Structures are given as C-alpha cells and as structure tokens.
Amino acid sequence: MLIKIYPENPNPKAIQEVVEVLKSGGIIIYPTDTIYGLGCDITNHRAIERICRLRGIKPEKANFSFICSDLSHISEFVKPMDTSLFRLLKKSLPGPYTFIMNATKNVPRLLSSKKNTVGIRIPDNEIILEIVRQLGNPILTTSIKDDDEILEYSTDPELIHEKYEESVDLVIDGGYGGNIASTVIDCSNGEFEIVRQGKGDISDLIEQ
C-alpha cells in the first residue's frame, strides 16, 4: 500500500492509518530528513525479525537505530547524559544525525549491540515525528539501499513502492528523499567521535 502524506501539514487520518499498521506488527517505509527508512515499532520483535530477513541480517548481529520524538523521549532509552552531550543534542536535534549512546534496559535486545549501545535519531521531518508521537513508541530505522551503481539510496517513493510492495505493509510517499545518510556520532565513551560523515555537519556544534 502506498499512502501520500505531505510533510508541511501531515494529515491526521493518514498518520493514524500508519500507526494502526505499526500497532498490528506491520513494517513500513517512510521519509526522514535524509534518506528513506525501513522500520517498525521497536517493541514488536516479530516485525524486527521480518526486517532482519528482508535486509539479510541475523537478528543477533543487527545494529539498528531508532527514531524518538524529542529529547525527553530519548531519556527513556539511554543512560543519564552529561551536560556537554545534552547541549549537543539540544543544538543539533531535530536534524540529520544519529547519536550512539549507552542504552538502558528499555531498549529491546534485538536493537542494542554487544556494547549495550544504541543509535538514536530525531529527524527534522514532521511526518515520521508525528507517527512516533501517535504510536507512543520509537520506530526502528534502517536505510533503503538502491541497486543503482551511482545512487546509494533509493529516492523515489513510487519506485520504492514498486520494489518493496510485496515485502512491506505500507510505503509513505513524502516526496523525493535524499541520497546522503545521517552523520553518525559515537558518544558512548564520554567523547564525540564521528563514525560516519553524512548530511549533518557537527564540527561547529561540538564544544572544544
């Protein structure tokens, strides 16, 4: 199923339709402020396992991130932050960043690495943020890769739907997506280490 939702003013009825799919254990493809993502409710283990099969990843080796709605939502899933980390998150979110932080027991085992860390995102995209708010739980996020030799990620939601309509329960058309993933910053050891440079430029936000 392909559903059109406009990011400027997401239709509440359409958002609720997506939320019902997630509550029933469905998996969806959705826009973010970077690339299109594949995800589900992080509390539904069967849905996570479906995504692992779709991506060809063993659940015990998966290292997914998930999307929260705001900073207070993040605090439920990560250990207490020091002042410098909190300031960095406040400056940069919502935005095109993934922060790796130390996870609490609220994070499902399928989502936390052996180091008990987890990647957290708050994208600057009102569609997915409103879905998370209405769902009440974070949404797992992993990227939609493209078979094209030039484009690393799929950007056209209609083509994404054609490719994945038999594999997922719903694809959201939120307009063309980007082709540059988020910048990943590891904050788990008390310092800020850029693991992957993506769309977001974090250098001027990190206090020296």
Side-chain angles (χ1 to χ4, degrees):
M1 176 168 55
L2 180 66
I3 182 170
K4 178 74 175 180
I5 303 179
Y6 294 96
E8 294 80 13
N9 189 21
N11 185 306
K13 186 176 180 181
I15 294 292
Q16 192 56 42
E17 188 174 350
V18 177
V19 169
E20 291 304 319
V21 169
L22 291 166
K23 285 182 176 179
S24 65
I27 61 177
I28 66 170
I29 292 174
Y30 50 88
T32 70
D33 54 353
T34 54
I35 57 180
Y36 267 81
L38 169 70
C40 65
D41 184 335
I42 68 163
T43 66
N44 193 301
H45 286 199
R46 287 186 179 181
I48 294 173
E49 288 168 352
R50 278 181 63 194
I51 289 175
C52 289
R53 288 194 298 271
L54 187 57
R55 287 291 309 273
I57 305 170
K58 292 183 179 180
E60 63 272 16
K61 293 187 177 181
N63 194 12
F64 296 127
S65 299
F66 60 76
I67 293 173
C68 288
S69 56
D70 53 36
L71 291 180
S72 61
H73 199 195
I74 286 179
S75 65
E76 298 177 33
F77 301 96
V78 301
K79 292 183 178 178
M81 299 175 249
D82 62 25
T83 303
S84 60
L85 176 53
F86 180 79
R87 286 177 178 169
L88 177 60
L89 297 183
K90 196 170 182 180
K91 285 180 183 177
S92 56
L93 297 175
Y97 305 98
T98 299
F99 290 96
I100 300 174
M101 291 184 275
N102 295 307
T104 66
K105 293 181 179 179
N106 290 338
V107 176
R109 284 189 177 182
L110 285 173
L111 296 182
S112 60
S113 68
K114 292 180 180 179
K115 296 180 181 179
N116 292 320
T117 58
V118 66
I120 301 286
R121 284 216 67 201
I122 302 180
D124 188 13
N125 181 287
E126 196 58 30
I127 295 173
I128 191 61
L129 291 183
E130 187 60 25
I131 290 169
V132 173
R133 292 185 196 111
Q134 296 302 321
L135 179 64
N137 296 322
I139 292 177
L140 176 146
T141 184
T142 183
S143 58
I144 299 293
K145 295 284 187 177
D146 198 292
D147 298 328
D148 191 284
E149 293 181 359
I150 299 175
L151 294 175
E152 185 176 358
Y153 301 102
S154 301
T155 59
D156 186 332
E158 292 189 3
L159 294 179
I160 292 173
H161 177 251
E162 287 180 16
K163 182 176 180 179
Y164 289 97
E165 62 179 323
E166 301 298 327
S167 305
V168 306
D169 299 283
L170 185 147
V171 176
I172 298 172
D173 177 354
Y176 275 84
N179 192 42
I180 302 175
S182 64
T183 293
V184 180
I185 305 102
D186 188 345
C187 309
S188 62
N189 62 359
E191 298 181 359
F192 306 134
E193 178 187 356
I194 297 177
V195 178
R196 179 184 72 195
Q197 182 61 56
K199 183 178 178 180
D201 183 4
I202 202 77
S203 57
D204 58 340
L205 299 177
I206 297 177
E207 297 179 356
Q208 301 298 323

